[in-house]
Amino acid sequence: MLDQRIKFRHLTCFLEVARQRSVVKAADTLSITQPAVSKTIRELEEHLDARLFDRSKRGVTLTDFGKVFLRYAGASVTALRQGVDSISQVRMQGGLSINLGVLPTVAASVMPNAIRHFKTLSPDTTVKVVAGPNVMLMGQLRVGELDLVVGRLAEPDQMSGLSFIHLYSEHISLVARPGHPLLADKNPDITRIREFTVLVPPKHAIIHPTVDKMLIAHGIGAIPDRIETVSTSFGRAFTRETDAIWIISNGAVASDIAEGHLVELPIDTSDTFGPVGLTTRIDSPISPPVEMLINAVREEAQRHHSAQAGAKG
C-alpha cells in the first residue's frame, strides 16, 4: 500500500541527488539548503525503511534499493509532469510538446531534415531541442525532463532503465581547412598533428575515450597545443581560419566536407566507428507524437547514410 507520507518533494529531491550524485549540487539545482536536501532524503529512507544512498567523501551513490526505486520514482514524476502539461495544453488550446535531447554532432546531420519532416505531419506539436554532452542528456532523460535522446550509445553503467534503438554507426574524422600543409602528402603521418593546434573533445564528451584510444594506437602521446571543446560552431570557425586539426565525429562535419569548407585528412580511423541511435526510458510509455518523431528520425537516418554510401561508391 502506498505510504501517504511520501510527497512530491521527496521524489524530486531523490531524483536530483541521484542525477547529480551530490547533495551539494542537488541543493544548488533545487534552490534549497544542503541540510534541507539531507533531511528530505532521510525522511524518504525512513518512510521506505530502506537506505537509498551510500555516502562517502566523493559524493553519494545509489544502493541496490536506490537503483530499484529510481526506476519507479522517475516514471512517477514523468507521468505527473505529463498530466500537468496536458492540462496546460488544453487550457491554451495548443498542441503537444516533445522535449528532445541531441548530441551537437548529431544535431548537424540527421536532425534538421527529420524534424522538418515531422513538422509536416504534426505542425501543432512543439519540439524543444536540447543540445549537450551525453552524460547530461541521459541524466535529464532518466528523470523525465527529456522524452527522447538522439546520440551515441552511452556506457553500460548509464543505460540502466533505458532502451537504445540503433540507427547507424559513424567514425571519428580528422579535418582541416582546404590547403592545409598536411594535405600536401597523400598519406600523411598522423603523428604530425602534434605540429599544429589540435581541437579535441573534453573528458566528459562521449567520444573522448575513443579519440584517446585512437591517438594511443597511433603512438601519439599528449598533444602539447590542444583546445578542448564540444562546440561545433567554434570548432568549425577556428579550423577554417587556422592551421588547426579538428578531431570530431564525422556527422558533425559531413556537410562541411561535402561543401568543400573542410577536408578530411586521409587517415584510417575505421577502428573508431561507434553506434548512434535513439534512447528512451523503458518504463515510460511512448506517446504518439514521440513515436512519429522516432519514425521520422529513423527514416532520415536511413536516407542520409544511404546517400553517403552512394556518394562514396
Side-chain angles (χ1 to χ4, degrees):
M1 187 174 180
L2 179 64
D3 192 326
Q4 300 297 324
R5 294 173 297 174
I6 298 177
K7 308 297 183 184
F8 183 71
R9 62 182 177 84
H10 291 117
L11 300 182
T12 54
C13 190
F14 166 77
L15 291 172
E16 196 59 40
V17 173
R19 185 168 78 92
Q20 300 281 2
R21 298 182 182 180
S22 166
V23 171
V24 175
K25 292 180 180 178
D28 289 340
T29 302
L30 296 170
S31 299
I32 58 178
T33 64
Q34 181 181 341
V37 172
S38 299
K39 179 182 178 183
T40 302
I41 295 299
R42 187 167 58 252
E43 288 176 353
L44 180 59
E45 290 178 324
E46 291 173 355
H47 297 337
L48 296 173
D49 192 22
R51 184 163 50 87
L52 301 176
F53 294 101
D54 285 325
R55 284 85 167 170
S56 69
K57 292 182 179 179
R58 296 182 178 179
V60 296
T61 56
L62 288 166
T63 64
D64 288 341
F65 286 119
K67 291 176 182 177
V68 171
F69 189 67
L70 175 63
R71 177 177 178 181
Y72 296 101
S76 299
V77 172
T78 298
L80 183 57
R81 282 177 173 155
Q82 290 173 342
V84 173
D85 287 345
S86 67
I87 296 298
S88 299
Q89 289 160 4
V90 169
R91 285 179 173 173
M92 293 187 299
Q93 296 183 346
L96 298 173
S97 65
I98 297 175
N99 297 317
L100 170 67
V102 294
L103 283 180
T105 55
V106 179
S109 55
V110 173
M111 293 313 299
N113 283 337
I115 294 178
R116 184 183 301 116
H117 176 60
F118 170 76
K119 291 295 288 182
T120 65
L121 302 174
S122 185
D124 292 335
T125 300
T126 300
V127 181
K128 301 176 182 177
V129 180
V130 178
N134 212 59
V135 173
M136 181 195 82
L137 297 178
M138 290 303 170
Q140 292 181 346
L141 175 64
R142 194 178 301 280
V143 300
E145 294 177 5
L146 295 175
D147 301 303
L148 174 71
V149 170
V150 184
R152 282 210 170 199
L153 175 63
E155 294 298 320
D157 63 343
Q158 296 180 32
M159 288 301 295
S160 176
L162 302 177
S163 174
F164 182 81
I165 303 172
H166 182 265
L167 293 174
Y168 59 89
S169 294
E170 69 174 4
H171 65 281
I172 304 298
S173 291
L174 285 77
V175 297
R177 64 169 178 82
H180 190 281
L182 284 183
L183 294 172
D185 188 348
K186 293 183 178 180
N187 297 294
D189 180 359
I190 189 175
T191 60
R192 288 195 60 200
I193 68 173
R194 288 171 52 86
E195 300 171 15
F196 305 92
T197 301
V198 181
L199 278 63
V200 296
K203 289 185 178 180
H204 65 73
I206 194 168
I207 64 171
H208 175 82
T210 304
V211 171
D212 262 7
K213 290 178 183 177
M214 178 191 71
L215 296 177
I216 292 171
H218 285 88
I220 301 175
I223 297 174
D225 185 3
R226 59 191 285 152
I227 297 174
E228 297 186 357
T229 181
V230 293
S231 171
T232 53
S233 57
F234 170 79
R236 182 174 293 108
F238 191 86
T239 305
R240 289 173 62 174
E241 296 173 5
T242 69
D243 281 340
I245 304 295
W246 187 15
I247 304 178
I248 188 67
S249 293
N250 180 262
V253 291
S255 61
D256 299 275
I257 294 172
E259 295 167 2
H261 300 307
L262 294 174
V263 180
E264 184 171 11
L265 298 181
I267 294 171
D268 182 16
T269 59
S270 57
D271 58 346
T272 65
F273 272 92
V276 175
L278 302 151
T279 304
T280 58
R281 290 175 55 89
I282 292 175
D283 56 6
S284 182
I286 297 176
S287 67
V290 172
E291 185 68 39
M292 290 171 60
L293 179 57
I294 288 175
N295 292 335
V297 174
R298 295 178 77 165
E299 291 173 7
E300 175 57 24
Q302 183 177 6
R303 186 206 63 76
H304 179 77
H305 287 275
S306 294
Q308 281 194 325
K312 291 179 180 178

